[in-house]
Amino acid sequence: MSPTRPPLSFLAHARIVLFKELVDAIRDRRTLLRMLVPAVLMGPLMLMALSGLIASLEERAEKRELMVAGLEHAPTLENYLLRQTYTLKAAPADYEQKLRATQLLEPVLVIGKDFEKQLLEGERPTVEVVSDSANQRAQVAVGSMQRLLRGFNQERAGLSLALRGISPELLQPVAIEERDLASVQARATRITSIVPMFIIMAVLYGALTAALDSTAGERERGSLEPLLMNPASPLALVLGKWGAVALSGVAVAALSNLSFLPAQYLIQSDSLQAMFQFGWGEALRCLAVQLPLAAGVGALLMAMAVRTKTFKEAQASATLAMTLISLAPMVGLMNPGGEAAWYYWVPGLAQNTLMLQVLKGEALSLAKVLPSVLVCGVMTLAGLLFIARSMRQAVAR
């Protein structure tokens, strides 16, 4: 008579379920490609889009062109602008309509007929800088046009005082110098602040597919009930399934982070390439920040799907949680008051805030990282216990 095998331990059951879930995920190649391909392409596509926009703005700034209506009425202003090495172009007659329709991508300087006469008589002629705030490409150049006009005003005022024997320096009794405390990397985050949001989205959708398939998907296929009939505790089954879900989220997070390393070579803008410093250190720190979120979200999505009967029903149940976590980083973008202490206690928002600090080149302190780890840990534990309880009830029925 052959000797009886000793029963498998709790961890052995969990390990077997983990391997089974990973094998099932690898076999489902279509779903695997839908998760991995966007994660790999996200970094290159995002940086190419940002660098293309910045490169186009820099190219337009280098051309030093101004769109002017009524330039023939202001030869003095025309002389000043030409001395600033600007090329002056006549504005079309329907410039207002084209600005509203975003067919004209630069503001228009409008000069009145009596400009030169009023200037010679010592009056203050009025010029208009016409733009459309909804036309963002045109709005960008408004500031440079206003600085040019301020320079013209200062030159005219200085000449008028000099003719009267008065030093032009009396107009500026205080010398003003600007000192920017932000590092090069911190200035780059004004442009790249949306990068952490897309990485968080990749983690969420990487965990979503695996979480729903391992619960509602198996119930719909009729393979969950036979699995529960095995001589393994429901908690061991849950740990194995959750481990596969968390690993899926971590894998997608790793690919999303690493995709930004080669993507830097595709940046067209020299200024953005100089500012955006994202090496292996930044990639690994961003990945470490995402680990608690992948674990917590995986358990949360499984808990929401375990009671559903179909995959579509599980998707509908997970929509609210996915929406709240994915939109949480928007709080930091819309809050002009800066970072608040409670940011680090909100899943999604905490990871976004920490990754922004990594992009700025700042060190991550334990006091800032620990709250997100604790919250995601509690979310993971509560989710796993709820799933195990639901599976026990399913076995009892």
Side-chain angles (χ1 to χ4, degrees):
M1 186 171 61
S2 60
T4 58
R5 294 183 180 179
L8 296 176
S9 64
F10 175 86
L11 292 178
H13 282 129
R15 186 170 61 252
I16 292 172
V17 176
L18 171 63
F19 290 152
K20 174 256 182 190
E21 294 292 335
L22 292 176
V23 170
D24 289 344
I26 294 173
R27 285 176 178 171
D28 190 357
R29 295 182 180 179
R30 290 185 179 180
T31 304
L32 191 63
L33 289 176
R34 283 199 295 267
M35 287 193 306
L36 299 184
V37 171
V40 173
L41 296 180
M42 180 184 61
L45 291 177
M46 184 187 303
L47 288 184
M48 286 177 62
L50 284 175
S51 65
L53 174 62
I54 296 172
S56 66
L57 295 176
E58 291 175 343
E59 182 181 359
R60 192 173 69 179
E62 290 176 358
K63 289 182 178 178
R64 299 178 71 83
E65 295 178 344
L66 286 181
M67 188 78 68
V68 187
L71 184 62
E72 65 277 6
H73 306 310
T76 304
L77 179 58
E78 179 183 11
N79 176 268
Y80 172 79
L81 295 175
L82 291 175
R83 283 188 283 113
Q84 307 305 312
T85 68
Y86 274 83
T87 301
L88 306 179
K89 300 183 298 182
D94 57 344
Y95 62 87
E96 291 187 5
Q97 180 180 352
K98 289 187 175 181
L99 280 170
R100 292 193 185 99
T102 65
Q103 297 174 353
L104 188 62
L105 302 180
E106 50 189 307
V108 177
L109 177 62
V110 181
I111 303 173
K113 294 182 179 180
D114 299 329
F115 178 90
E116 199 69 25
K117 177 183 176 182
Q118 292 176 344
L119 192 66
L120 293 176
E121 293 177 354
E123 299 180 9
R124 296 182 62 186
T126 300
V127 297
E128 291 182 319
V129 178
V130 181
S131 182
D132 189 328
S133 58
N135 186 344
Q136 296 183 358
R137 299 291 291 273
Q139 191 69 17
V140 169
V142 169
S144 59
M145 185 177 286
Q146 291 176 341
R147 286 191 294 271
L148 273 174
L149 295 174
R150 285 196 294 267
F152 176 74
N153 282 337
Q154 291 177 357
E155 183 180 273
R156 293 293 302 179
L159 289 174
S160 299
L161 291 175
L163 289 175
R164 292 170 174 78
I166 302 174
S167 174
E169 294 183 357
L170 293 176
L171 291 177
Q172 298 179 346
V174 178
I176 302 174
E177 294 183 358
E178 293 186 6
R179 184 159 58 98
D180 192 351
L181 298 178
S183 63
V184 174
Q185 288 179 266
R187 290 196 294 271
T189 56
R190 293 181 300 179
I191 304 170
T192 59
S193 58
I194 61 174
V195 168
M197 293 178 58
F198 280 90
I199 295 178
I200 292 173
M201 291 292 293
V203 175
L204 293 177
Y205 284 101
L208 173 67
T209 303
L212 301 189
D213 186 70
S214 64
T215 50
E218 286 207 10
R219 185 186 295 275
E220 191 173 29
R221 293 190 298 268
S223 59
L224 183 60
E225 285 74 10
L227 182 63
L228 295 176
M229 299 305 294
N230 284 281
S233 67
L235 186 56
L237 298 177
V238 170
L239 283 177
K241 286 179 171 293
W242 167 79
V245 172
L247 285 176
S248 298
V250 171
V252 175
L255 288 174
S256 300
N257 284 283
L258 296 178
S259 68
F260 287 97
L261 297 177
Q264 297 177 80
Y265 297 102
L266 302 176
I267 295 179
Q268 304 173 24
S269 169
D270 294 335
S271 59
L272 179 60
Q273 193 169 38
M275 290 190 296
F276 186 68
Q277 304 294 326
F278 193 87
W280 283 97
E282 287 77 13
L284 293 176
R285 279 186 289 169
C286 286
L287 177 59
V289 167
Q290 296 303 316
L291 295 181
L293 182 65
V297 167
L300 175 64
L301 295 176
M302 289 177 64
M304 299 183 72
V306 73
R307 293 291 185 95
T308 59
K309 296 181 180 179
T310 64
F311 194 86
K312 288 185 178 180
E313 185 181 350
Q315 284 181 318
S317 301
T319 299
L320 178 60
M322 293 286 292
T323 303
L324 291 176
I325 297 176
S326 60
L327 293 182
M330 296 296 295
V331 176
L333 295 177
M334 295 185 294
N335 182 17
E339 298 174 2
W342 59 269
Y343 281 13
Y344 301 101
W345 295 91
V346 181
L349 180 57
Q351 283 71 28
N352 182 78
T353 305
L354 292 171
M355 281 193 288
L356 282 177
Q357 293 179 4
V358 172
L359 292 178
K360 292 178 183 179
E362 300 177 3
L364 297 180
S365 63
L366 182 62
K368 293 180 178 180
V369 175
L370 190 58
S372 65
V373 175
L374 292 176
V375 171
C376 291
V378 171
M379 191 163 62
T380 301
L381 182 60
L384 294 180
L385 293 176
F386 177 81
I387 301 166
R389 179 185 175 187
S390 299
M391 286 189 174
R392 288 195 194 97
Q393 293 174 353
V395 172
R397 289 197 297 267

